[in-house]
Amino acid sequence: MLALANIRERWRSFVAAFLAVAFGVALIGVTLIIYDSARPQVQSRYGAAPVLVIPHRAANESGTPKDLIPWSEADAAALAGRLGGIEGVHGTVIDRSFYSQAFRNGQPVADDAAEDAGHGWSSTLLAPYKLVAGAAPQTADQVAVDASLNVKPGEKLQLNLASGLRELTVSGTVDGPGYFFTDAAAAQLDSGVRTIAPLLDDPGKAGAVAKQADALTGEAGTVLTGEARSALEPQFVAHKRFLGTQLIAAMAILGLFVTVFVVAATLALATAQRRREIGLLRTIGAQPKQIRRMILGEAAGVGLAGSVAGSVLAVAAAPLMKAILVNLDVTAPGFAITVSAWPLLTAALIGVGVAVAGSWAASRLAAKVAPLEALLDAQSEKRTMTPTRWLAGAGALGLGVLLAVMTAVSGADDRINMAMGAAMCFIVAAALLAPVVIGPVVRLVTAPLTRRSTSAGPMLIRSELLNATRRAASTAAPIIAAVGFAVLISGMVETMRTAYPAGETKKLAGQVLIAPEGTPGLSDQVVAQNPVGKAALPTRIFLDRPGKGPTVIDALGSRDPRWDKPGEAVLGESTAKMFGVAAGQTVTVRFVDGLSETVKVSQVLPDDPGRGAFVMSRTLVRQHDRAALTDTVFIPQANAPQTVAAGAALHDAQSYALADYNTDARLTTSLAMMLIVVAVGYSGLAVANNMAMAAYGRKDDFAVMKSAGGTVRQLMKFVIGETALISGVGIALGLLVTLPPLAGMASGLSEVTGTDVTIQLSGGVVTAAILGSLIMAIGASVAVTWRVLRPRVAAG
């Protein structure tokens, strides 16, 4: 009851904490709503297939279940025959998906789903897709297409396949996406089978059919029903969902950190301003444990209120976040927001937990307030740093140094995470150790002013900040976070933007490259037109890993005379060690068509990403993977072609490196800007809140100054000067905390790219962060101070 009464009486002191929790919960809540809504969905083309049968999955190198192990044609036909004999099943469909893309006027028609757009005609039964016009394809040179392409039956249409461009006759149009060939033609274009669908007489009996299908399938595969069918989402959909999830996860982690950081600083400031009130409670008999319970109870009450408000904001903001993600093209087709209870409850619990945890240190300090402090007019701090604060600050600093060093030596996948972790540690360390810095800085800056100025302002600023360094540190903490994250994130993007293209250009010097343009890869036709140079054909293969079972890895089919030898393979040392093979031994390779071959390991060489970990003859790979596409053709400069086919583009080393980097740079830049907006925007609000709270908490001090002859103008100058000095300290610390992680990243990139990489900063972002922090801090302080002083002016 005491805690609730205090909240009612001192509501202004809790507004900043309430807003910090509310915005933090809103940010975490909206990310969890998006995450929950982005779960894999059943493809629309399986809408009329309540039961699907798929083969087992093979694990990848890390042991995570990954690719389906395709059935061979013979095995699939036998299993389909058994499934077709189930009571209530009138047939089966062997479903296939392979690369197929329309070309118009010599240029590819944009299609994210092109890699899986080709199917056999019988797959239309699974949606079902209906004929809009014309008829089903009858021969290998006919195809049925989506009616939205606006192609009439009987017209010719150029389709790009893995073999190259073919001109086909449109036999008919359907009311769904894709290109539908005869089942026989589809089997020639994609011989591996990953899905068999029983056709049910009564979809309502899917459960009974699934049980019988499971018994018939046995160890050969898995039966899927209901939402489990979402496991068959296309690769491009899974990739988009992965990118969106990564973006959301980064925002959630950053939001959680900033929430904890801001709430802790805000509550520490609020408690520090109540030392006299707490001293009075101690004078009338309140025990330290009662004071602690009061502070924690207040924090829980504020956290609960803020969590409720934040949950409402999260629901309101979810459509906006969806629009942003859709604009970034990192959502699956048909992505829709669904609001369930667990994201909001989780965010609310985090909000209350963060508020209570953030007030824990403040409650310990409050419990140590002596009764005598109720009689003191001034609220000077007994000591700048407590032992606990020293230990926590030093620990955060040490961990930050360790992570900064690890940033330099980590791989590409971990480097950004290490840099972010290091920055977070340095920001915490800077906030905790700021009181140590503020004193010397204040003395250094104000010393010449106090000697030369006839005004008492510089002396007052000096005295105020030296006597309340912890309060100043709490006020500066959000500025450290805002500037630190803005400089760090923008600096990482700019440094990578410079490093990666430079490194790739150096590696590719002396070559020209043919890369896809508007297509997911290069066809055999494009490769054949350029017979000189490296043109690796990527595929996936399945090997038995000792003690682990079937494992899927990447493999390449090469036309390089050194590796293009029938029945032989060249392995990297790591791959050979993983599968326990040596040069001269044989290994059984299962390909994506479900067939296996025994391949001799001709050589085991040091790992080389440019060569590949498992390299075989290109002819052998194409024999077993008829839908594979070549990523890039590398050609010596002397053999550079004058022109290339449609769907491909010719690059020199520099333009290829830039184009390759820019493929992901748009998303990286967008992600960086979103994180900056989250960190700076949230921290900026905290800056304004803390400054406003500090100004409200000093209204009695302003009254004393005014009664001593201070004018409103003088008091406003004093507030502006003090706020500018605190902000300057926060900005300087925010800039300093970014240097170690950025230096570590630059060092690591130098090692990886083989070029000299230096820290690169975005001048615009840095300037905006600095000016924005100053404007918000000074603006909030001036606005609240003016509001506090204005009634007193009127009364006089």
Side-chain angles (χ1 to χ4, degrees):
M1 294 300 294
L2 178 62
L4 292 176
N6 270 286
I7 292 176
R8 288 194 299 267
E9 292 295 323
R10 300 183 55 83
W11 67 270
R12 279 179 175 171
S13 298
F14 297 105
V15 167
F18 168 82
L19 291 176
V21 173
F23 281 105
V25 169
L27 177 60
I28 296 170
V30 76
T31 55
L32 291 177
I33 289 173
I34 296 295
Y35 175 81
D36 185 52
S37 302
R39 289 175 296 179
Q41 303 293 318
V42 178
Q43 295 182 64
S44 60
R45 72 186 198 89
Y46 291 134
V51 178
L52 298 173
V53 183
I54 63 172
H56 293 302
R57 292 186 183 274
N60 59 14
E61 294 96 322
S62 63
T64 304
K66 198 68 175 175
D67 295 28
L68 296 173
I69 307 173
W71 293 302
S72 66
E73 286 292 324
D75 290 342
L79 179 57
R82 295 197 300 271
L83 294 172
I86 295 175
E87 183 179 353
V89 173
H90 61 268
T92 57
V93 171
I94 293 180
D95 182 52
R96 308 174 192 274
S97 297
F98 50 88
Y99 170 64
S100 186
Q101 187 173 13
F103 271 51
R104 277 181 170 166
N105 301 319
Q107 296 300 319
V109 176
D111 185 2
D112 287 338
E115 281 193 276
D116 298 294
H119 311 284
W121 174 252
S122 62
S123 291
T124 58
L125 300 173
L126 307 181
Y129 294 144
K130 303 296 185 183
L131 272 171
V132 174
Q138 300 297 321
T139 63
D141 60 355
Q142 292 183 335
V143 64
V145 302
D146 186 352
S148 65
L149 278 176
N150 295 319
V151 182
K152 297 178 181 179
E155 293 183 347
K156 299 293 185 180
L157 179 67
Q158 276 194 323
L159 278 184
N160 199 36
L161 304 171
S163 58
L165 275 175
R166 287 179 57 187
E167 188 172 76
L168 302 175
T169 301
V170 175
S171 65
T173 58
V174 297
D175 59 355
Y179 303 91
F180 299 92
F181 300 76
T182 64
D183 290 336
Q188 292 298 312
L189 295 170
D190 182 36
S191 51
V193 178
R194 298 173 180 84
T195 310
I196 300 175
L199 300 176
L200 277 61
D201 296 331
D202 182 2
K205 297 182 179 179
V209 171
K211 288 182 179 180
Q212 295 182 63
D214 187 58
L216 286 173
T217 303
E219 295 298 320
T222 304
V223 178
L224 304 179
T225 60
E227 293 299 316
R229 295 172 297 156
S230 63
L232 290 174
E233 67 178 356
Q235 181 58 38
F236 87 97
V237 174
H239 181 63
K240 285 188 175 185
R241 189 169 53 79
F242 171 77
L243 293 176
T245 301
Q246 293 292 98
L247 188 152
I248 289 298
M251 288 184 60
I253 292 171
L254 182 62
L256 179 60
F257 172 81
V258 176
T259 300
V260 173
F261 185 80
V262 167
V263 170
T266 301
L267 290 172
L269 177 60
T271 304
Q273 290 182 322
R274 300 171 58 191
R275 294 183 68 83
R276 283 158 58 186
E277 173 197 335
I278 294 170
L280 180 59
L281 291 174
R282 294 279 286 115
T283 301
I284 62 175
Q287 297 298 313
K289 62 181 180 180
Q290 291 177 307
I291 298 297
R292 279 197 299 270
R293 284 201 299 265
M294 180 189 74
I295 298 296
L296 293 174
E298 290 171 349
V302 172
L304 181 59
S307 295
V308 172
S311 297
V312 174
L313 286 175
V315 175
L320 174 61
M321 179 61 70
K322 174 194 171 183
I324 293 172
L325 296 177
V326 169
N327 185 58
L328 292 175
D329 196 25
V330 293
T331 59
F335 174 68
I337 296 291
T338 56
V339 179
S340 55
W342 80 262
L344 300 179
L345 289 175
T346 302
L349 287 173
I350 290 174
V352 175
V354 164
V356 173
S359 66
W360 178 80
S363 71
R364 284 175 54 86
L365 287 175
K368 295 178 182 179
V369 173
L372 184 63
E373 297 198 36
L375 305 177
L376 299 178
D377 289 329
Q379 297 189 39
S380 59
E381 295 164 353
K382 290 183 177 180
R383 52 182 175 178
T384 301
M385 297 286 291
T386 63
T388 302
R389 188 162 187 152
W390 271 114
L391 288 174
L397 182 63
L399 182 58
V401 171
L402 176 62
L403 291 176
V405 172
M406 293 179 67
T407 300
V409 299
S410 295
D413 293 339
D414 297 325
R415 188 174 293 119
I416 292 178
N417 293 334
M418 289 295 178
M420 288 291 290
M424 289 179 181
C425 290
F426 283 128
I427 287 172
V428 172
L432 291 172
L433 301 177
V436 179
V437 178
I438 289 174
V441 171
V442 168
R443 291 188 180 92
L444 179 65
V445 173
T446 59
L449 297 177
T450 53
R451 287 196 299 268
R452 298 174 186 175
S453 177
T454 58
S455 170
M459 182 183 67
L460 286 173
I461 293 173
R462 177 188 178 96
S463 299
E464 181 69 24
L465 293 181
L466 290 179
N467 287 319
T469 52
R470 286 209 300 268
R471 177 184 64 80
S474 296
T475 308
I479 299 176
I480 298 173
V483 174
F485 279 121
V487 175
L488 174 76
I489 296 171
S490 62
M492 287 195 301
V493 171
E494 292 300 320
T495 302
M496 289 188 295
R497 192 194 307 278
T498 301
Y500 281 121
E504 194 69 11
T505 299
K506 182 178 179 179
K507 287 192 292 185
L508 298 174
Q511 300 180 81
V512 295
L513 304 101
I514 299 176
E517 186 170 66
T519 64
L522 302 174
S523 67
D524 286 351
Q525 182 181 15
V526 175
V527 174
Q529 291 171 356
N530 300 275
V532 178
K534 175 185 173 183
L537 184 65
T539 189
R540 300 279 276 176
I541 60 173
F542 305 88
L543 305 172
D544 188 51
R545 185 176 178 183
K548 302 288 185 179
T551 301
V552 60
I553 63 171
D554 290 315
L556 295 175
S558 175
R559 67 180 184 184
D560 188 319
R562 294 174 296 174
W563 327 127
D564 188 10
K565 298 178 180 179
E568 295 186 2
V570 175
L571 275 63
E573 291 178 346
S574 297
T575 302
K577 181 179 179 181
M578 182 187 306
F579 293 100
V581 295
Q585 294 182 329
T586 60
V587 60
T588 300
V589 178
R590 182 164 182 157
F591 293 89
V592 295
D593 61 355
L595 299 177
S596 298
E597 288 205 21
T598 300
V599 177
K600 179 182 177 182
V601 178
S602 61
Q603 299 181 69
V604 174
L605 301 176
D607 293 339
D608 179 6
R611 181 196 65 244
F614 198 112
V615 186
M616 297 174 287
S617 163
R618 182 183 174 95
T619 302
L620 178 62
V621 170
R622 175 55 78 200
Q623 176 185 335
H624 289 283
D625 191 348
R626 300 171 192 170
L629 297 169
T630 300
D631 293 327
T632 309
V633 179
F634 301 82
I635 304 173
Q637 184 73 50
N639 301 101
Q642 297 300 311
T643 60
V644 292
L650 186 65
H651 298 274
D652 59 24
Q654 184 176 21
S655 67
Y656 174 81
L658 289 172
D660 186 51
Y661 179 77
N662 287 335
T663 300
D664 295 322
R666 184 183 71 88
L667 182 59
T668 302
T669 302
S670 299
L671 169 60
M673 291 309 300
M674 288 182 67
L675 294 179
I676 289 173
V677 168
V678 168
V680 176
Y682 188 17
S683 299
L685 289 173
V687 170
N689 284 337
N690 282 13
M691 290 297 179
M693 185 169 62
Y696 269 120
R698 297 168 63 192
K699 59 184 179 180
D700 293 337
D701 296 340
F702 291 148
V704 172
M705 292 180 189
K706 191 169 188 308
S707 65
T711 65
V712 172
R713 185 175 182 179
Q714 288 174 322
L715 293 176
M716 296 298 289
K717 285 184 177 180
F718 163 74
V719 169
I720 292 173
E722 184 185 60
T723 304
L725 185 52
I726 294 174
S727 300
V729 172
I731 289 168
L733 290 174
L735 292 171
L736 288 174
V737 299
T738 65
L739 295 181
L742 286 177
M745 171 163 278
S747 175
L749 290 173
S750 294
E751 183 70 23
V752 170
T753 63
T755 60
D756 292 329
V757 179
T758 58
I759 296 175
Q760 303 292 318
L761 298 178
S762 172
V765 173
V766 173
T767 302
I770 292 174
L771 292 180
S773 296
L774 276 173
I775 291 171
M776 294 194 75
I778 293 175
S781 294
V782 168
V784 175
T785 303
W786 175 255
R787 184 173 179 179
V788 169
L789 294 174
R790 186 171 55 179
R792 299 181 183 276
V793 175

